[in-house]
Amino acid sequence: MKKQILIVGLFLLLTTFSVSAQKTTWISTTETAPWQTFDISSNAGTNATQIEIFPDKVFQQIDGFGSCFNELGWTSLNELKPEDRKKIFQELFEPGYGAGFTICRMPIGANDFSRDWYSYDETEGDFGLKNFSIKNDQETLIPFIKSAQKYNPKLQLWASPWSPPSWMKYNKHYALAKVPSVFGTAENGIRDNQLGKEGEDMFIQEDAYFKAYAIYFRKFIEAYKKEKITIGMVMPQNEFNSAQWYPSCTWTPGGLSKFLKFLGPEMAKTKTDIFFGTFERPNEQMFKEAYSKEVSSYIKGVGFQWGGKDAVRKIHQEYPQLKIYQSEHECGDGQNSWEYCEYGWDLMKHYFENGANAYLYWNTVLNEGGVSRWGWKQNSLITVNKSNKTYKYNPEYYMMKHLSHFVKPGAHLIESSSVNTKLHRDDVLFKNEVNLDSNADNLLAFKNPDNSIVVVIYNADATDKAITLRSGKTVLNPIIKSKSFNTFLIK
């Protein structure tokens, strides 16, 4: 009798595993073998790492994933044949095909990866903005965005300026610092008496300037609307604490709050949301200083990048009604290495585990070397070789795709046995810095609107790892390769 019970139990176990395996998609990426499909047919054995997913324990909703439309991204793409550009746009934006990006960022005027400095109105004293024009964008950003919209007409867009028109700033220059010598021959022409610094308002603190700048935002929204491009949200300033050698403008929290009183009503006219940001310092007090009663009704969320990641958790806990966007994936050194991809994965975990609703990469496409107009070498999802007119997807592209292809808008982060996931709600376990050495339960898990479960695991070990993954009645026993990203879609 015992023998019969044992046989029946074993049969049921194997049947459950078989059914679960048939309903599960497994995609794996290593440095040399990206986006490989595997069957879940291996048996991990008794020494497997145990991972459990709890689909009913949900955290924040996920709005989506994406990158940024920069001018140098468009000029790099134009080095390629038209048919290759089409393949790239399909891969990036067509729903259910490749990365399936749903949210993207763009600059208001020039940013550090523009062809050169420009704004939409450089006429000194033009408070009526009679000379406002987006003519420059019609050469680059508008065709870039429209090419993406062909594959995803519902693509959401948000925008932020790097610098106001130079005549609206005290120093009358687009930059605030000299180009560091490490960046070679790049130059910006700034004089010693034009330099700015963190902690001061470089935007002229007068109502006439605030009013004109708020209207500048509205005219930008309206001009793009005429191009059949809807900008759904704006942030008032990129990195408002950073005095840079490329387009930039420092603000105090009080200065930003004053401007938001003017910006709020103008954006309400176009039904455009406002997020505070982009926030790049670990001091959440700066947000509290700006988030006054007069402007709080206008603010729907906060955008964080770089050093701002260490303020995400506290602001999310204190202001749970506000959305959290990771607004700019840290941009690397142009090498597009696997090691930086590993660092990027830890960043991604940190943001989601602490409340992020969306995650955006920075440069979508760059030529080899990734050099900006102002000399900074940075990473990109895709690299173009100008000489032979070819392109390649970089490691961080596959890292993004391992989530964005499977995690749909409206999904929720869910709890797992990962200690890292528990950071999201447990003060005692919170670690203030991103931990690059942790390899225990190195994962994120999500539940889609259709109730499918997405589990993304990175094996940071130098050897293959056996795991047992449980989600409800589903039990999977794969062996994941060393240094590999793995996505399991459990339907």
Side-chain angles (χ1 to χ4, degrees), residues 209-249:
Y209 288 89
F210 286 138
K211 182 178 180 181
Y213 196 32
I215 295 172
Y216 180 90
F217 272 71
R218 175 170 58 79
K219 290 178 77 71
F220 160 73
I221 300 293
E222 292 170 342
Y224 265 77
K225 194 74 172 181
K226 290 180 181 178
E227 297 285 344
K228 302 187 186 310
I229 297 172
T230 298
I231 311 297
M233 179 266 283
V234 295
M235 298 189 195
Q237 173 64 50
N238 179 71
E239 298 182 351
F240 67 91
N241 296 288
S242 299
Q244 303 286 18
W245 65 98
Y246 47 79
S248 54
C249 186

Side-chain angles (χ1 to χ4, degrees), residues 422-476:
K422 292 177 183 176
L423 301 182
H424 185 71
R425 58 189 183 87
D426 190 336
D427 292 355
V428 177
L429 293 173
F430 180 72
K431 298 175 184 177
N432 198 34
E433 299 294 334
V434 175
N435 184 355
L436 301 182
D437 297 321
S438 174
N439 191 38
D441 294 341
N442 207 342
L443 65 95
L444 290 168
F446 305 86
K447 181 164 69 173
N448 278 321
D450 66 358
N451 289 321
S452 61
I453 304 300
V454 180
V455 184
V456 186
I457 303 172
Y458 183 66
N459 178 14
D461 287 348
T463 58
D464 295 353
K465 176 188 286 188
I467 65 171
T468 294
L469 173 62
R470 293 183 176 86
S471 177
K473 295 181 180 180
T474 300
V475 181
L476 308 174

Side-chain angles (χ1 to χ4, degrees), residues 287-423:
F287 173 71
K288 295 179 181 180
E289 292 173 16
Y291 194 65
S292 65
K293 291 181 180 179
E294 293 85 355
V295 303
S296 60
S297 62
Y298 299 125
I299 307 302
K300 306 302 181 186
V302 188
F304 295 89
Q305 56 197 53
W306 292 83
K309 65 179 176 284
D310 293 324
V312 172
R313 169 179 162 270
K314 290 184 179 179
I315 290 178
H316 177 55
Q317 287 183 336
E318 190 161 346
Y319 306 94
Q321 77 278 14
L322 298 178
K323 288 196 172 185
I324 301 292
Y325 276 23
Q326 184 289 125
S327 46
E328 179 183 304
H329 183 79
E330 295 180 23
C331 45
D333 57 4
Q335 298 298 311
N336 296 295
S337 67
W338 188 262
E339 289 73 20
Y340 200 85
C341 181
E342 290 181 299
Y343 172 70
W345 166 245
D346 282 296
L347 288 174
M348 186 177 284
K349 285 193 302 174
H350 175 84
Y351 277 100
F352 281 122
E353 288 162 358
N354 289 285
N357 302 96
Y359 197 96
L360 288 96
Y361 196 80
W362 176 225
N363 282 300
T364 308
V365 189
L366 290 176
N367 289 329
E368 284 189 344
V371 184
S372 78
R373 148 69 177 85
W374 288 274
W376 194 354
K377 296 179 180 179
Q378 296 187 3
N379 290 355
S380 56
L381 296 175
I382 301 166
T383 295
V384 170
N385 184 313
K386 290 176 61 175
S387 61
N388 61 19
K389 308 298 181 183
T390 60
Y391 64 94
K392 65 178 180 179
Y393 294 98
N394 294 317
E396 287 171 288
Y397 171 71
Y398 291 103
M399 175 194 71
M400 289 286 293
K401 185 178 177 181
H402 266 275
L403 281 85
S404 65
H405 179 81
F406 297 100
V407 181
K408 304 304 180 183
H412 286 82
L413 182 73
I414 56 177
E415 187 172 337
S416 73
S417 57
S418 168
V419 171
N420 289 331
T421 302
K422 292 177 183 176
L423 301 182

Side-chain angles (χ1 to χ4, degrees), residues 249-268:
C249 186
T250 54
W251 297 72
T252 64
L256 273 177
S257 188
K258 290 177 185 176
F259 174 54
L260 286 166
K261 295 174 187 176
F262 290 84
L263 182 63
E266 292 298 326
M267 293 297 91

Side-chain angles (χ1 to χ4, degrees), residues 31 47 80 85 136 162 238 246 365 420:
E31 184 175 8
N47 295 322
L80 300 173
R85 289 200 298 273
N136 181 88
W162 269 242
N238 179 71
Y246 47 79
V365 189
N420 289 331

